[in-house]
Amino acid sequence: MTAHEQFADDLALYALNALEGNDRANLEKHLATCSDCRRELEQLRGDGALLALSTIGPKPPARARQRLLDAIAQETASETRARVAATTTGSRRSWWGWLGWAATAAVVVFAASLWKENSALKQSLALMGSQSAQTAREMEEMRRIAAPILSPQAQHITLVSVKTPPQPQGKAFYLRNRSSLLFMANNLPALPPQKAYELWLIPMEGAPIPAGVFKPDAHGSATVVNPPLPSNMEAKAFAITVENEAGATTPTMPIVMMGTGE
Amino acid sequence: MAELYDRYSSIVYSVALRVLGDAGAAEDILQEVFLQLWRNPGAFDSARGSLGAWLAVITRNRAIDALRRRKPETDIEDVIVSVAPDLAGEADRQRAAEKVRAALSTMPAPQRNALQMAYFEGLSHSEIAAKTGEPLGTIKTRIRAGLIALRKAFQA
């Protein structure tokens, strides 16, 4: 008896989620290394799908369609509200100059994630020959909204009190469940040669995580968009240090800017 | 999403209804499956099989989880389904369904029953063995042979 024959019956049960205990653990170990058995598993799931077909006939009630579309619309709307609220509430206290930015940035973060969702959805739909023209229009609209922030040609203007000399400011917008981060700063002091600023995500526990190396432009402005970050990492704070141009894996003191969540 | 719903809601609803035997509960599963697809459209890899077959498997798994009041066991991304017939159109699915029903009707009754208990009632092979009084090994073999008999019905 070969290894594959030994697992043949268990594979069928596994395809139906009906394999338990040690048999399941042993099979999963084997599947990790055996592409033949993985292919057979896909086939067996397909055989199960054929069995499922034997049920077709009943149609869902008409209200179910509207219920789904309402749920999708509601989810989209509440996600937008939550993001805008999260970014504007704090701004009212101490970020008057950032109010416009905060609202725009919330739209950009939302636009980026919606664009990501839309592009994945678009791919699936296109492959099935049912691409939605409305989705394409929405993507175009989101790109248009994002352009003033992401385009290198865009003018970035920060308004501050005329009596106060400009202070370095940074603002991070972070969605941990999407590992999505938008950081914008201005009035940053110029750097010595071969040096750059590095942004750090300070997690609730453990060492600071690099969140992008950047250099400000001639006006002291800089933007970091979606640096690679571990998934679902809760942030206690964000901080900035000055590092060599290539960036560092641990921050070099002193911290030049720091902020905690609002 | 409305277009996908129009095309595939019937198969999702039918499978959920067969497993749960309750129209309201089947409608909830229908809602859940399509919302998941909307939230995570990349979960379905169209290069690896038909959306109709994938939805049938996802729905069956979710409905069994609901029936047995347990948390969903598998992430939808983990499930790859490979199926031979084209299930995109309503007519294709009707033809395939007739073939499956014919194959089931020619199967020995103990084999058909074991397969249906495992698939639509979510019973483990030991539960089926306890229910039918037959050896565990026999039940295992019947389930596999039943699935493969369905596959062969489409190779003929």
Side-chain angles (χ1 to χ4, degrees), chain A residues 25-202:
Chain A
N26 288 339
L27 180 63
E28 283 179 343
K29 217 161 135 189
H30 174 69
L31 279 171
T33 59
C34 179
S35 57
D36 285 348
C37 281
R38 283 199 300 273
R39 262 194 301 279
E40 177 62 10
L41 174 65
E42 293 168 17
Q43 287 276 347
L44 286 162
R45 283 204 181 109
D47 302 335
L50 294 176
L51 181 55
L53 281 184
S54 68
T55 66
I56 64 172
K59 305 267 184 230
R63 65 167 185 276
R65 186 180 195 275
Q66 195 53 48
R67 185 181 158 200
L68 174 71
L69 297 178
D70 288 348
I72 287 174
Q74 199 177 359
E75 212 166 283
T76 309
S78 62
E79 202 169 354
T80 311
R81 275 200 302 277
R83 285 173 191 180
V84 172
T87 46
T88 53
T89 309
S91 304
R92 221 167 277 133
R93 282 201 308 274
S94 57
W95 285 89
W96 280 103
W98 283 92
L99 259 176
W101 281 111
T104 316
V107 172
V108 170
V109 172
F110 177 59
S113 59
L114 192 64
W115 184 85
K116 221 165 138 190
E117 281 166 14
N118 276 351
S119 58
L121 182 59
K122 187 182 164 192
Q123 201 180 13
S124 298
L125 292 179
L127 285 162
M128 288 173 286
S130 57
Q131 182 186 353
S132 154
Q134 193 184 346
T135 306
R137 277 200 300 279
E138 282 171 7
M139 282 168 59
E140 192 46 49
E141 178 65 8
M142 291 304 174
R143 282 203 191 103
R144 196 180 62 75
I145 293 168
I149 291 226
L150 299 178
S151 167
Q153 284 86 40
Q155 286 183 286
H156 293 188
I157 301 115
T158 303
L159 306 180
V160 294
S161 163
V162 290
K163 291 178 184 166
T164 318
Q167 293 294 310
Q169 290 179 316
K171 189 83 175 169
F173 300 91
Y174 177 52
L175 277 174
R176 72 170 176 160
N177 61 348
R178 293 176 193 272
S179 302
S180 179
L181 171 66
L182 174 67
F183 174 78
M184 294 181 298
N186 54 16
N187 301 328
L188 294 171
L191 288 157
Q194 276 97 50
K195 293 285 183 185
Y197 288 110
E198 185 156 5
L199 179 64
W200 301 90
L201 184 159
I202 316 289

Side-chain angles (χ1 to χ4, degrees), chain A residues 10 47 56 63 65 127, chain B residues 6 27 46 101 140 151:
Chain A
D10 282 353
D47 302 335
I56 64 172
R63 65 167 185 276
R65 186 180 195 275
L127 285 162
Chain B
D6 292 341
E27 200 185 315
S46 57
R101 286 174 194 143
K140 274 189 181 186
R151 190 187 309 173

Side-chain angles (χ1 to χ4, degrees), chain A residues 234-253:
Chain A
E234 189 174 355
K236 187 163 67 181
F238 282 88
I240 294 173
T241 58
V242 176
E243 306 289 349
N244 290 329
E245 273 177 328
T249 50
T250 53
T252 307
M253 294 296 122

Side-chain angles (χ1 to χ4, degrees), chain A residues 50, chain B residues 85 93-106 149-150 152-156:
Chain A
L50 294 176
Chain B
R93 289 198 293 272
Q94 283 295 348
R95 264 194 303 277
E98 277 159 30
K99 249 183 181 177
V100 174
R101 286 174 194 143
L104 283 171
S105 68
T106 58
L150 296 181
K152 283 191 175 152
F154 287 86
Q155 290 167 348

Side-chain angles (χ1 to χ4, degrees), chain B residues 83-154:
Chain B
V83 68
D86 185 356
L87 305 175
E90 181 75 30
D92 299 323
R93 289 198 293 272
Q94 283 295 348
R95 264 194 303 277
E98 277 159 30
K99 249 183 181 177
V100 174
R101 286 174 194 143
L104 283 171
S105 68
T106 58
M107 228 175 246
Q111 187 176 67
R112 183 174 57 244
N113 292 340
L115 191 57
Q116 291 185 329
M117 277 191 265
Y119 200 77
F120 293 119
E121 295 173 37
L123 298 184
S124 68
H125 64 293
S126 43
E127 287 167 324
I128 298 171
K131 212 166 168 174
T132 59
E134 286 170 315
L136 279 176
T138 308
I139 300 296
K140 274 189 181 186
T141 306
R142 274 186 190 150
I143 290 172
R144 174 165 173 264
L147 286 174
I148 288 176
L150 296 181
R151 190 187 309 173
K152 283 191 175 152
F154 287 86

